[in-house]
Amino acid sequence: MKTEELWDAYSISDYHRLRYLGDDINEVLTLVLKNIKAGIGLFEVGETVRALYLNESYFECIGYTMEEYSEHLKNVFTTLHIDDVEGFRNCILKHAPKGEQINYVVRGYRQDGTLGVFDIKGAPIENKINQNPIYLTVISDITDTSEKEQKINELNSLNAQLLLLEERYKILEATSYGLLFEYDPHKDTMVFSYNFPNNKKRKEIDHYSSYMKKSPLVHSSHIERFRLALQEACRQETEGNLEYLSSVSGDGYRWHLTHYKSMADAEGNILSVLGRIEDIHDRKMEREKLNYKADVDGLTNLYRKEVAFEKMQEYVNETPEMKFYFVILDLDDFKQINDQYGHQYGDKILKQTADALRRLFGENGILGRFGGDEFVILTRDLGYEEVKRLLETLREEVKFCAGIVEWRAGEDIKVTFDRADKAMYQVKAGSKNGSLFEA
């Protein structure tokens, strides 16, 4: 068969085509190893890594002459950067016993003392002398590529910092006055910058995670919500608003609104969480007043029925371990009072009853007007005897029937109401102006 026909029988990348250079494979190997521009080495893995063969390009690649490198032939680790030796050794110990390929990047010193970065790819071959693994290895100098990647990373980092600065200025431009902050999750440092006409101070707090747990800056009832928001912003790029009670303005606990945003680098690592804190206390209180007017009964200024139930449910959900008593009371003979003295007099009785309830229970409970002449009370942190004593005090001003039940953990407040309502009607079915307790 002609040589040209032999070529056609093999793919262009098939090593059999090398037979064109001659029948002696040693001649082919010699030419390849002499002219290839990559470092080729044969290494034995024992207590150390020993060089068995190195081509001329190997020495050019690592920056040594053959004579200069002779003292390192028995242990090639001696030219590596000390911080990379252990990792490279562990890689070899992991893969060599299994006859697996090795691919690793190490830093090594050239003869002139400069540091290079080298890519090492090794494949196991049969050892016909002893039991130690032998690797045929290709060494490539990737220093220039590594330095370029490092410069790109530095540029990306610089760009992220510039974006951070830009975001700061945007926040500054958004308001003439305010309290700015920046949190560094890596240093756990919070910096407050006061931006007021007569206050330009800067306050830096180290170990902020620990400080936040014991400091009075955020009200205890809101600290967990505040902590979770900061934690989320440190985990991924986030932008949001948070309302909470804080003393950060230096004038006791007031409502504040924080607009915050986390900034990340090109890899998505959070660099900083920054934002602006605004005192919204007066605005929020005004809004609360408007909401309160919509939530309360116009005559008695007590919560309307559905609002009362909603507030009561929130009340028990906040501290379910506490003892709560639910009271429903119904004024005696109120229809006759209206019929005999008129509705204006009846309204006066309702207002007086509401005022008395606020005076007796207002600090320890939620009050509501259920409708007509019925009122509901949810007490907190009061014992049964105290609730009963307060009701007896109320009875000095107005006659009524009442049902009292203890709230059961996890119970819907409307179910609690139904139990109290049944208890009250047992009183009404007997004699008026009485109370009934059912646990």
Side-chain angles (χ1 to χ4, degrees):
M1 185 179 292
K2 296 179 181 180
T3 301
E4 194 169 320
E5 293 174 346
L6 285 172
W7 289 348
D8 293 339
Y10 300 107
S11 165
I12 190 66
S13 61
D14 197 312
Y15 76 95
H16 286 90
R17 282 178 172 252
L18 292 173
R19 293 179 63 183
Y20 172 76
L21 299 175
D23 291 329
D24 188 351
I25 192 62
N26 291 325
E27 180 183 352
V28 174
L29 186 59
T30 300
L31 284 169
V32 170
L33 293 175
K34 186 175 180 62
N35 292 286
I36 195 169
K37 293 304 179 182
I40 305 294
L42 201 61
F43 298 93
E44 181 186 38
V45 178
E47 293 183 4
T48 63
V49 175
R50 180 167 69 103
L52 302 179
Y53 165 81
L54 304 171
N55 72 340
E56 293 179 7
S57 294
Y58 178 89
F59 300 105
E60 294 177 15
C61 178
I62 65 171
Y64 283 81
T65 65
M66 190 180 302
E67 292 74 19
E68 291 168 343
Y69 196 69
S70 60
E71 63 181 287
H72 305 292
L73 293 175
K74 292 183 179 180
N75 184 5
V76 299
F77 287 149
T78 55
T79 64
L80 301 185
H81 192 290
I82 189 170
D83 292 342
D84 293 355
V85 171
E86 184 177 358
F88 187 32
R89 180 183 285 115
N90 290 338
C91 176
I92 293 171
L93 292 177
K94 177 182 178 181
H95 297 290
K98 302 176 185 177
E100 298 173 339
Q101 293 188 359
I102 292 173
N103 190 355
Y104 205 79
V105 174
V106 296
R107 292 169 295 170
Y109 290 101
R110 303 184 180 92
Q111 178 62 22
D112 62 6
T114 59
L115 193 63
V117 183
F118 304 96
D119 181 46
I120 300 174
K121 292 183 173 64
I125 62 174
E126 182 183 0
N127 186 347
K128 297 182 179 180
I129 300 174
N130 55 46
Q131 298 301 313
N132 290 336
I134 291 182
Y135 276 82
L136 181 60
T137 305
V138 178
I139 314 291
S140 304
D141 185 349
I142 60 169
T143 306
D144 290 344
T145 303
S146 179
E147 288 177 350
K148 289 177 182 177
E149 289 178 353
Q150 184 178 352
K151 288 179 180 178
I152 290 173
N153 289 335
E154 289 175 353
L155 288 172
N156 285 337
S157 177
L158 180 60
N159 184 56
Q161 293 177 33
L162 290 173
L163 288 173
L164 191 61
L165 287 171
E166 182 183 0
E167 195 65 30
R168 288 175 184 158
Y169 284 117
K170 283 181 179 178
I171 291 175
L172 283 170
E173 291 171 357
T175 176
S176 300
Y177 309 121
L179 174 59
L180 307 177
F181 72 88
E182 181 174 356
Y183 176 68
D184 186 331
H186 304 289
K187 297 180 180 178
D188 192 22
T189 301
M190 175 68 81
V191 176
F192 291 109
S193 300
Y194 292 79
N195 186 33
F196 298 101
N198 300 318
N199 186 354
K200 299 290 183 181
K201 71 178 181 180
R202 182 178 183 274
K203 182 178 181 181
E204 183 170 332
I205 303 172
D206 296 323
H207 310 296
Y208 185 69
S209 297
S210 300
Y211 176 86
M212 185 170 57
K213 294 176 183 177
K214 57 185 180 182
S215 83
L217 283 181
V218 179
H219 194 276
S220 58
S221 62
H222 294 168
I223 189 67
E224 184 63 14
R225 184 151 49 98
F226 182 89
R227 186 188 67 80
L228 291 174
L230 182 60
Q231 185 181 70
E232 177 67 13
C234 291
R235 191 176 66 84
Q236 62 181 3
E237 280 194 273
T238 307
E239 183 172 6
N241 295 300
L242 184 67
E243 289 188 7
Y244 57 98
L245 282 169
S246 173
S247 61
V248 70
S249 297
D251 191 22
Y253 284 113
R254 294 173 61 84
W255 281 100
H256 289 77
L257 170 67
T258 289
H259 174 72
Y260 61 92
K261 184 174 183 179
S262 48
M263 304 297 296
D265 60 19
E267 284 73 39
N269 302 309
I270 301 302
L271 300 173
S272 183
V273 181
L274 51 107
R276 174 178 177 271
I277 302 172
E278 180 185 1
D279 187 325
I280 60 166
H281 191 80
D282 294 340
R283 195 165 71 229
K284 187 174 180 66
M285 289 299 97
E286 188 63 31
R287 189 167 68 240
E288 288 292 325
K289 287 180 183 177
L290 293 175
N291 289 338
Y292 181 76
K293 288 180 180 179
D295 290 344
V296 300
D297 168 61
L299 178 65
T300 62
N301 279 331
L302 299 181
Y303 285 121
R304 294 185 291 105
K305 172 185 173 183
E306 291 303 322
V307 177
F309 282 159
E310 182 181 328
K311 298 289 183 182
M312 289 175 176
Q313 192 67 57
E314 291 176 2
Y315 211 43
V316 297
N317 289 345
E318 283 178 2
T319 51
E321 70 280 0
M322 280 192 174
K323 188 176 286 291
F324 298 91
Y325 286 97
F326 190 101
V327 181
I328 179 170
L329 60 88
D330 183 282
L331 301 184
D332 287 347
D333 303 319
F334 188 71
K335 184 178 183 304
Q336 288 87 332
I337 292 173
N338 272 335
D339 292 343
Q340 184 174 353
Y341 299 103
H343 287 284
Q344 285 188 340
Y345 183 79
D347 288 348
K348 182 179 178 181
I349 296 296
L350 293 174
K351 288 180 182 180
Q352 288 177 346
T353 303
D355 290 341
L357 288 173
R358 268 191 294 270
R359 186 174 68 252
L360 295 170
F361 295 97
E363 293 185 0
N364 297 94
I366 301 286
L367 307 172
R369 182 186 178 193
F370 187 71
D373 59 345
E374 288 187 339
F375 298 85
V376 288
I377 310 164
L378 181 73
T379 69
R380 179 168 69 176
D381 219 18
L382 294 178
Y384 170 68
E385 291 302 324
E386 178 66 9
V387 174
K388 188 176 179 182
R389 184 188 69 79
L390 292 172
L391 288 174
E392 290 302 322
T393 301
L394 177 65
R395 207 181 299 280
E396 296 172 6
E397 301 184 38
V398 65
K399 305 300 182 184
F400 59 86
C401 295
I404 313 168
V405 297
E406 185 177 350
W407 176 75
R408 298 166 181 168
E411 184 176 60
D412 187 293
I413 205 69
K414 291 183 180 180
V415 175
T416 313
F417 164 79
D418 288 339
R419 293 195 291 115
D421 193 44
K422 289 177 182 177
M424 183 191 69
Y425 273 96
Q426 287 183 39
V427 177
K428 290 175 73 73
S431 60
K432 294 184 179 181
N433 196 27
S435 301
L436 180 65
F437 168 73
E438 282 196 357

